[in-house]
Amino acid sequence: MATVNAAGVIYEEDIVRSSAARKVLAGLRIVIGWYFLWAFVDKVFGLGYSTPAERAWINGGKPAQGFLGGTEGVFSGLFQAIGSLGSIVDILFMLSLVCIGVALLLGVGVKVTAVAASVLLGMMYLAQFPLGVPAGTYTNPLFDDHWIIALAIIFFALVRGGDEWGLGKWWASQVGDGWLR
């Protein structure tokens, strides 16, 4: 059973007893955090990995609008309409990438990050919902990496996954064990 300290906070080691398991979870959290942060950096500067320099945000590229404008499938009309809202969509998308990435790398705000990341990943999944998209685009007609990443981040929140190799314990001492944890 988890112990609760005077501040009412439960720590990761109270839930995940194995030191090795906590380290693997911390490594996974850091890798996923870098995944989001790298997507942000690449889209800002167009480093040529997934975003060519001419489509970089600093060169006038539209990271979310461009993606949403080219969606296909069942929900394409909805997401194309969202993309037509203009620069606010790009700003919110890029802000989401950087905030999720930094929060996961630092191990702070993991609960609220799990909600935000799940919403973002869910929307990205639905924007290219496999049913109705041309065959050969996906390897699995129902599940893809958006599901895996969202479930991993939700798991971090459930086990207080920011404590190991992160600032989760310090953060919990500042905000308690509520939704900001």
Side-chain angles (χ1 to χ4, degrees), residues 86-170:
S87 296
I88 188 69
V89 175
D90 292 320
I91 292 167
L92 291 173
F93 175 66
M94 296 299 282
L95 189 61
S96 297
L97 290 178
V98 73
C99 289
I100 291 166
V102 169
L104 289 173
L105 282 172
L106 296 178
V108 299
V110 178
K111 285 183 181 179
V112 71
T113 299
V115 173
S118 295
V119 168
L120 177 65
L121 291 163
M123 289 178 68
M124 291 171 70
Y125 171 77
L126 289 175
Q128 294 185 313
F129 188 64
L131 300 178
V133 174
T137 307
Y138 286 90
T139 57
N140 185 310
L142 293 179
F143 300 107
D144 67 4
D145 60 333
H146 294 96
W147 284 84
I148 297 165
I149 296 168
L151 290 170
I153 298 171
I154 291 167
F155 186 69
F156 301 149
L158 294 174
V159 300
R160 294 5 181 229
D163 294 357
E164 190 81 21
W165 296 346
L167 301 175
K169 285 183 179 180
W170 170 81

Side-chain angles (χ1 to χ4, degrees), residues 53-68:
E54 62 273 8
R55 289 196 349 234
W57 202 21
I58 62 168
N59 292 333
K62 300 177 182 334
Q65 293 178 68
F67 168 76
L68 293 171

Side-chain angles (χ1 to χ4, degrees), residues 23-96:
K23 286 173 179 37
V24 169
L25 284 171
L28 182 60
R29 186 195 81 239
I30 290 166
V31 166
I32 293 174
W34 179 245
Y35 177 84
F36 278 91
L37 193 57
W38 178 258
F40 170 80
V41 170
D42 188 49
K43 287 175 187 344
V44 168
F45 299 107
L47 301 176
Y49 290 88
S50 65
T51 306
E54 62 273 8
R55 289 196 349 234
W57 202 21
I58 62 168
N59 292 333
K62 300 177 182 334
Q65 293 178 68
F67 168 76
L68 293 171
T71 56
E72 300 177 19
V74 178
F75 302 109
S76 62
L78 169 66
F79 287 102
Q80 288 173 8
I82 292 170
S84 71
L85 295 175
S87 296
I88 188 69
V89 175
D90 292 320
I91 292 167
L92 291 173
F93 175 66
M94 296 299 282
L95 189 61
S96 297

